[in-house]
């Protein structure tokens, strides 16, 4: 169901970590399932939670992942979504199809506002409907995801010894934190470039990622890994159309791949592209 993923060679100096394969079909090409699945298991086993809610965006696969695993585990997923007055936007028609396919309850949020305001509204609705429920945090920022991504780095130790640069899309920063934690544990120090998928403060995101990784940059108790956060001037729902030699999400990973292709002469090679899969 959740597997270790390969590193594939694109050319002499470019490689790709196929984390879009972390969950095999019919599950989502969504590497955050590495943390989502154990979180659901633990909450159900230890606390008896049977109903899990999520406030999805118009482009993410989080609701897809939650719906899929809840159905497999005999739990209930409740997916909230922003209902726009001009109809479905971005990736919503695909989302609706997947949520229904895996038996989720789907609730539109009328007159959507900012994401976290939507999240609080959705949580109030969920807890009012179901007492035995839990609203999952936005972006699924689970330590379990960080630890499992770090384990992928450890598993790939031999393949990573010569890698000088890793490029990854950074939304919540969770995957980047896992990469850094794993590299630190095996003593490798490639340059890391986290490419923002939406406007954020690069300095704030860098601090957040290092905090989630449990490290700090440099110093006696820090890491020698160089982390650079890049604002590539995309809006969250902007769609990148660059062609890729592997399946790649246009709202997330393609933004980072475009930056990597534009800057391949300015980064240390060989380089690894970490394809999250949204």
């Amino acid at each position: 169901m959740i597997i270790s993923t390969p590193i594939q060679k694109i050319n002499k100096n470019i490689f790709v970590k196929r984390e879009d394969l972390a969950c095999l079909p019919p599950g989502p090409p969504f590497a955050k399932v590495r943390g989502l699945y154990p979180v659901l298991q633990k909450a159900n086993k230890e606390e008896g939670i049977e109903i899990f809610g999520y406030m999805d965006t118009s482009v993410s696969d989080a609701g897809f992942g939650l719906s899929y695993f809840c159905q497999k585990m005999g739990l209930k997923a409740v997916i909230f979504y922003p209902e726009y007055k001009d109809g479905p936007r971005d990736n919503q028609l695909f989302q609706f199809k997947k949520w229904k396919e895996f038996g989720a309850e789907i609730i539109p949020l009328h007159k959507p506002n900012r994401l976290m305001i939507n999240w609080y509204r959705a949580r109030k609705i969920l807890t009012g409907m179901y007492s035995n429920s839990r609203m999952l945090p936005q972006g699924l920022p689970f330590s379990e995801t960080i630890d499992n991504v770090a384990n992928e780095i450890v598993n790939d130790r031999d393949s990573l010894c010569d890698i000088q640069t890793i490029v990854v899309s950074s939304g919540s920063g969770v995957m980047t934190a896992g990469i850094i934690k794993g590299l630190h544990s095996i003593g490798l120090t490639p340059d890391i470039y986290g490419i923002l998928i939406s406007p954020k403060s690069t300095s704030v995101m860098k601090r957040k990622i290092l905090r989630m990784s449990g490290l700090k940059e440099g110093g006696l108790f820090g890491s020698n890994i160089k982390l650079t956060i890049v604002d590539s001037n995309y809006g969250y729902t902007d769609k990148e159309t660059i062609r890729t030699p592997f399946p790649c999400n246009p709202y997330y990973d393609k933004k980072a791949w475009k930056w990597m292709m534009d800057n391949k002469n300015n980064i240390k090679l060989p380089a690894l592209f970490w394809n999250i899969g949204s």
Side-chain angles (χ1 to χ4, degrees):
M1 184 166 51
I2 300 176
I3 64 169
S4 186
T5 56
I7 290 177
Q8 295 179 351
K9 186 175 183 178
I10 302 300
N11 59 40
K12 180 180 178 181
N13 287 311
I14 303 293
F15 298 81
V16 58
K17 173 67 170 173
R18 292 291 307 278
E19 279 289 86
D20 56 294
L21 299 175
C23 184
L24 297 178
F30 182 51
K32 279 191 177 179
V33 297
R34 293 195 181 283
L36 175 61
Y37 182 58
V39 163
L40 297 179
Q41 279 188 312
K42 182 178 180 180
N44 178 245
K45 183 177 180 180
E46 296 183 3
E47 302 175 59
I49 304 297
E50 297 181 343
I51 301 164
F52 293 89
Y54 191 75
M55 179 66 231
D56 220 338
T57 70
S58 62
V59 301
S60 91
D61 277 341
F64 180 1
L66 179 61
S67 302
Y68 172 73
F69 282 108
C70 279
Q71 186 184 74
K72 290 190 73 67
M73 299 169 69
L75 305 172
K76 182 181 182 67
V78 181
I79 310 299
F80 298 86
Y81 73 93
E83 183 183 57
Y84 300 108
K85 61 181 180 181
D86 54 349
R89 296 180 185 175
D90 307 315
N91 203 37
Q92 285 188 316
L93 291 178
F94 174 80
Q95 291 175 325
F96 298 161
K97 177 183 176 182
K98 288 300 179 181
W99 300 340
K100 291 175 183 176
E101 180 180 344
F102 295 108
E105 181 175 356
I106 304 168
I107 300 178
L109 207 65
H110 309 296
K111 297 181 180 180
N113 205 310
R114 289 184 299 168
L115 185 56
M116 285 312 300
I117 293 175
N118 292 342
W119 185 88
Y120 283 109
R121 288 174 59 195
R123 185 178 67 170
K124 184 176 181 180
I125 295 169
L126 179 73
T127 56
M129 294 173 59
Y130 299 107
S131 58
N132 189 23
S133 64
R134 173 167 298 169
M135 193 73 180
L136 295 178
Q138 209 61 41
L140 308 179
F142 302 129
S143 61
E144 289 84 353
T145 304
I146 294 171
D147 290 341
N148 279 282
V149 171
N151 287 339
E152 281 297 295
I153 290 284
V154 175
N155 292 340
D156 290 334
R157 179 197 305 258
D158 293 342
S159 300
L160 293 173
C161 287
D162 295 327
I163 295 296
Q164 299 297 304
T165 300
I166 296 178
V167 177
V168 59
S169 68
S170 292
S172 66
V174 169
M175 310 302 286
T176 312
I179 293 169
I180 291 172
K181 184 173 183 176
L183 290 169
H184 182 74
S185 73
I186 59 175
L188 296 180
T189 58
D191 294 344
I192 309 294
Y193 289 90
I195 313 305
L196 295 179
I197 61 169
S198 61
K200 291 184 177 74
S201 165
T202 56
S203 60
V204 170
M205 178 57 76
K206 183 175 182 176
R207 289 195 297 271
K208 177 183 176 183
I209 289 170
L210 291 171
R211 183 176 67 251
M212 288 191 295
S213 74
L215 302 171
K216 60 182 179 179
E217 196 172 34
L220 182 61
F221 301 105
S223 169
N224 291 322
I225 296 169
K226 286 176 57 180
L227 171 63
T228 302
I229 303 299
V230 179
D231 183 354
S232 53
N233 299 312
Y234 287 102
Y236 178 62
T237 59
D238 288 346
K239 193 173 184 178
E240 175 53 57
T241 59
I242 188 173
R243 290 188 178 184
T244 56
F246 47 87
C248 199
N249 189 292
Y251 298 103
Y252 296 87
D253 299 302
K254 280 195 175 187
K255 296 173 181 178
W257 179 258
K258 175 67 162 55
W259 182 90
M260 186 174 180
M261 292 298 98
D262 288 346
N263 291 275
K264 60 186 176 183
N265 294 326
N266 302 316
I267 60 176
K268 297 176 186 176
L269 300 174
L272 175 70
F273 182 76
W274 195 278
N275 192 45
I276 292 172
S278 76

